[in-house]
Amino acid sequence: MRRRSFLTMSGAAGVAVAMPNVAASAATRPARSGARPRDFGPPGTLRGLAEFIGLRVGTAVIPFDLNTPAYAAILAEQFSAVTPGNAMKWGVVEPVQGQFDWSDADALVSFAEQHGQLVRGHTLLWHNQLPAWLTTGVANGTISSSQLMGLLEQHIFTEVGRYRGRIWQWDVANEFFLDASPSGINPNDFWVSNLGAGVIPQAFKWAHEADPHALLFYNDYNIAGEDGSNAKSNAVYAWLQQMLDQGVPINGVGDQGHLDTQFGFSPQQMTQDLQRYATLGLKVAITEADVRTFVDGPTTQVPTNSLALFAQPYEFSQMLSSCLEVPECISFTVWGFGDADSWVPGFFTGEGYATLYDVNLNPKPAFFALQQDLQFGAFGAPRRFSHGR
């Protein structure tokens, strides 16, 4: 799944689900140990329900979301964690060597702190969205391998250091494994081909030194069986085990969770894979969840198959359920919450409708499916007071 330079949004009207009295339940439920009531959203919000079980519900954010009042209101109300869609990538923060632009990243961190949200930093080591001066310099030989390693070290210390103590999780390394069976680290990846696979653990060591308290994640797609195979998951699991045995400071693994209704998906396999990572002593997270399908066009994003109206919320629900089944799953992040600014139509021709809100910013069935899952996670099914006899 190649990646995003923007987010985008789609739509069908949401179908409400009858909800128990959340406010009453919250008032009578004993407080969790370590609960942070100040972070609760209004009753029934995704963030408010998730807080009762110690889960952060997040979304990717772009400047449009912060600068558009209707989007900013939903962002503040429904989500307790935020991930910069692009604002912390190297090509954005240092477009010209030595000249930094932190404006979008600073705005996101400031918004999060104002609204009791945690920040997932994304991403420090990735082959994509690198500054042109860096890739051109490597290609024409004006930047040597040793200089490249030094520039990477400087980048990590500069960025992680700037936000030291303000970032909850960092996606330190992103998308290094092959879509193949058997899988393994991609030898043609920009960083691996120029510096060797050892650059990946080194990045974790530098990030830990720059901020010892941030949780450091390896992040990738199709590493929880989304492609119908565990080849990539097996390779990532074996590599993580090796890195941990060597003392590399990896704290967690993020499965992106990009799904497409035209392909099969096994929630049981996802749960098993997340649990398997957890047995290594790692935190786990769903980091970029969306569920795309074929639509009539990028502007309206109405599904062309009526079954997609059921499949899309179902697959969202199953991903969240897999996370809920694994106590080490500490966050569930959707890759943008509105179809109108989702990345999907720009990268997958003819597809869209991938998020929780439609192009008119109405909540879709997927939103209510997640709301219901979190409701049951937080409070369980209502007690039956009578057998009717």
Side-chain angles (χ1 to χ4, degrees):
M1 273 154 217
R2 291 290 75 96
R3 208 74 312 93
R4 42 227 160 266
S5 57
F6 63 95
L7 300 172
T8 309
M9 182 172 195
S10 100
V15 178
V17 175
M19 301 291 290
N21 189 326
V22 176
S25 300
T28 58
R29 182 181 176 86
R32 284 189 301 104
S33 174
R36 294 180 289 273
R38 70 182 188 280
D39 291 336
F40 281 9
T45 62
L46 301 182
R47 67 179 293 175
L49 292 168
E51 176 63 20
F52 277 95
I53 53 175
L55 179 71
R56 290 281 177 161
V57 175
T59 182
V61 177
I62 58 175
F64 174 85
D65 302 323
L66 300 179
N67 299 329
T68 305
Y71 283 76
I74 292 173
L75 176 62
E77 179 182 71
Q78 295 293 339
F79 300 100
S80 55
V82 292
T83 301
N86 300 295
M88 292 184 180
K89 291 169 181 172
W90 197 344
V92 174
V93 301
E94 194 181 3
V96 178
Q97 187 171 9
Q99 297 182 20
F100 295 92
D101 182 358
W102 302 105
S103 56
D104 289 343
D106 284 352
L108 175 61
V109 173
S110 177
F111 183 94
E113 292 175 344
Q114 291 172 20
H115 295 91
Q117 298 165 319
L118 297 181
V119 180
R120 298 194 75 258
H122 179 82
T123 174
L124 298 174
L125 187 68
W126 188 35
H127 67 270
N128 206 354
Q129 290 183 255
L130 295 169
W133 61 263
L134 182 74
T135 55
T136 300
V138 171
N140 65 25
T142 58
I143 295 177
S144 67
S145 293
S146 61
Q147 289 172 321
L148 180 61
M149 184 69 90
L151 288 167
L152 175 62
E153 178 182 11
Q154 182 182 49
H155 168 67
I156 291 175
F157 274 95
T158 299
E159 182 156 34
V160 177
R162 180 179 183 85
Y163 299 106
R164 181 184 174 112
R166 303 172 75 188
I167 300 292
W168 178 37
Q169 304 173 22
W170 270 109
D171 287 333
V172 175
N174 194 51
E175 298 180 357
F176 274 89
F177 282 77
L178 291 165
D179 300 326
S181 182
S183 182
I185 292 175
N186 182 3
N188 297 316
D189 177 272
F190 173 84
W191 293 105
V192 175
S193 63
N194 286 290
L195 297 176
V199 68
I200 309 173
Q202 185 59 60
F204 279 93
K205 294 172 184 177
W206 285 331
H208 178 67
E209 187 176 347
D211 188 350
H213 300 294
L215 295 175
L216 307 182
F217 274 66
Y218 176 74
N219 190 55
D220 213 328
Y221 62 92
N222 288 355
I223 59 170
E226 297 98 318
D227 61 349
S229 163
N230 250 17
K232 197 169 182 179
S233 177
N234 290 341
V236 170
Y237 175 83
W239 177 80
L240 287 167
Q241 191 171 43
Q242 181 184 27
M243 292 299 100
L244 293 171
D245 288 344
Q246 294 175 7
V248 178
I250 301 176
N251 306 116
V253 58
D255 176 61
Q256 293 179 7
H258 295 294
L259 299 182
D260 189 322
T261 60
Q262 68 178 308
F263 303 121
F265 164 60
S266 170
Q268 293 80 15
Q269 189 171 51
M270 175 172 280
T271 302
Q272 292 167 7
D273 286 337
L274 295 181
Q275 185 60 62
R276 182 168 62 157
Y277 294 131
T279 62
L280 294 175
L282 295 171
K283 303 295 185 185
V284 295
I286 303 296
T287 57
E288 305 181 20
D290 51 30
V291 183
R292 63 188 184 275
T293 193
F294 289 105
V295 296
D296 61 345
T299 303
T300 51
Q301 296 189 51
V302 176
T304 55
N305 186 328
S306 61
L307 292 178
L309 296 173
F310 300 93
Q312 202 254 6
Y314 169 79
E315 293 192 1
F316 257 118
S317 174
Q318 291 301 299
M319 279 197 286
L320 177 58
S321 295
S322 291
C323 177
L324 293 177
E325 286 190 54
V326 181
E328 292 82 1
C329 189
I330 60 175
S331 59
F332 181 90
T333 297
V334 296
W335 201 248
F337 58 86
D339 287 339
D341 67 343
S342 163
W343 70 290
V344 168
F347 285 79
F348 296 94
T349 302
E351 294 192 79
Y353 194 74
T355 75
L356 304 180
Y357 288 75
D358 69 18
V359 291
N360 297 311
L361 213 55
N362 297 311
K364 291 156 53 177
F367 171 88
F368 295 107
L370 297 188
Q371 185 187 52
Q372 186 176 58
D373 291 337
L374 291 170
Q375 164 70 25
F376 281 103
F379 305 112
R383 182 178 176 182
R384 276 65 182 153
F385 294 102
S386 171
H387 296 291
R389 319 179 40 174

